[in-house]
Amino acid sequence: MAIDDLLDEHEQSERVRTWLRKNGAGILSGVILGVGAIAGWQWWQKEQVGKLAEANVRYEAVSRSLQSKKLDDAAKEVAALGSGKAGIYADLASLELAKAQVEAGKNEDAIKTLRALKTEGEFKALIDQRVARLLIETGKADEAVKLIGAADDSASLEIRGDALIAQNKRDEARELYTQALAKLDVAAPQRRLLETKLMDAGGTVADPAAEKI
């Protein structure tokens, strides 16, 4: 090996040492952060799996309580699940509890259960509609109308019509039923009930082919 080559290698080695002295701490910090991020991700995944497992256990407890008609116990388990924290388990448990409460004639409790759900989008609209129907059944038609607001889909129009019927406003209800029917598919299973409501309000059922939205 020529002396010039040795000098070049020595010079290169010194350059490497100098660079490491300047940047070594940064590299080491990056490695530590990288390892920490991986460990953190693994911990987070483990935590999520643990929470889901716990949520599943509580959901099963809710189901058992409902089967035994122990609604108070089921309500406690639903509260322990924590809507929004246990994902689908919490939502399903709340919906099942509300259904059982309605079947037991406890509409006020069902309203409270449904309103505790943290929902958004289309799911929220469906929950609001169910709450509105229960409000009408409990004599709170005004509150039901406020909850539905200006929504103009078929279901919302029907609910507003139901609220008006509860307030003895048949003419206004008839108009809303007519609008709701016009927006409903001809083959929709709920069409027959809506037609009955319209006729009871003094309206007539038009030929579906002639209906205009």
Side-chain angles (χ1 to χ4, degrees):
M1 182 180 291
I3 189 66
D4 290 339
D5 292 334
L6 287 173
L7 288 174
D8 288 342
E9 288 182 8
H10 177 73
E11 183 179 356
Q12 290 171 11
S13 296
E14 284 300 317
R15 288 179 179 176
V16 169
R17 291 192 191 92
T18 300
W19 187 87
L20 284 174
R21 280 195 296 271
K22 292 181 179 180
N23 301 286
I27 293 174
L28 182 59
S29 297
V31 171
I32 292 173
L33 288 173
V35 172
I38 293 172
W41 170 251
Q42 292 175 336
W43 174 84
W44 184 84
Q45 285 185 311
K46 185 177 180 181
E47 281 290 300
Q48 295 307 303
V49 170
K51 288 180 179 179
L52 286 175
E54 181 181 353
N56 181 57
V57 170
R58 290 195 177 280
Y59 175 74
E60 292 297 330
V62 171
S63 297
R64 288 194 298 272
S65 294
L66 291 177
Q67 289 173 2
S68 302
K69 307 298 182 182
K70 297 178 180 178
L71 301 188
D72 290 340
D73 290 344
K76 290 178 182 178
E77 290 294 343
V78 168
L81 266 171
S83 181
K85 297 179 181 179
I88 191 65
Y89 286 112
D91 292 342
L92 285 175
S94 294
L95 292 174
E96 290 184 15
L97 173 60
K99 180 175 182 292
Q101 289 169 330
V102 170
E103 291 173 347
K106 298 183 176 182
N107 288 344
E108 294 287 357
D109 289 344
I111 291 172
K112 182 178 179 181
T113 297
L114 291 174
R115 279 182 159 170
L117 278 167
K118 305 301 180 183
T119 57
E120 57 185 19
E122 187 174 344
F123 187 37
K124 182 181 186 305
L126 291 174
I127 295 299
D128 285 347
Q129 289 172 0
R130 186 65 184 114
V131 171
R133 292 184 189 278
L134 290 172
L135 287 170
I136 294 171
E137 291 180 20
T138 54
K140 301 175 182 176
D142 288 339
E143 194 173 339
V145 171
K146 290 180 181 178
L147 180 60
I148 294 301
D152 62 353
D153 58 283
S154 180
S156 296
L157 290 169
E158 179 183 354
I159 292 170
R160 286 164 57 194
D162 293 345
L164 290 171
I165 286 293
Q167 297 171 321
N168 294 317
K169 300 178 180 179
R170 291 169 58 82
D171 292 342
E172 296 175 52
R174 184 167 58 249
E175 176 61 29
L176 288 176
Y177 286 149
T178 300
Q179 293 177 30
L181 196 59
K183 292 187 177 231
L184 198 61
D185 188 88
V186 175
Q190 64 268 39
R191 188 178 181 87
R192 181 62 61 83
L193 175 59
L194 185 51
E195 288 176 343
T196 300
K197 289 182 178 181
L198 174 57
M199 290 186 291
D200 287 345
T204 57
V205 178
D207 182 350
E211 290 180 356
K212 300 296 182 181
I213 296 178

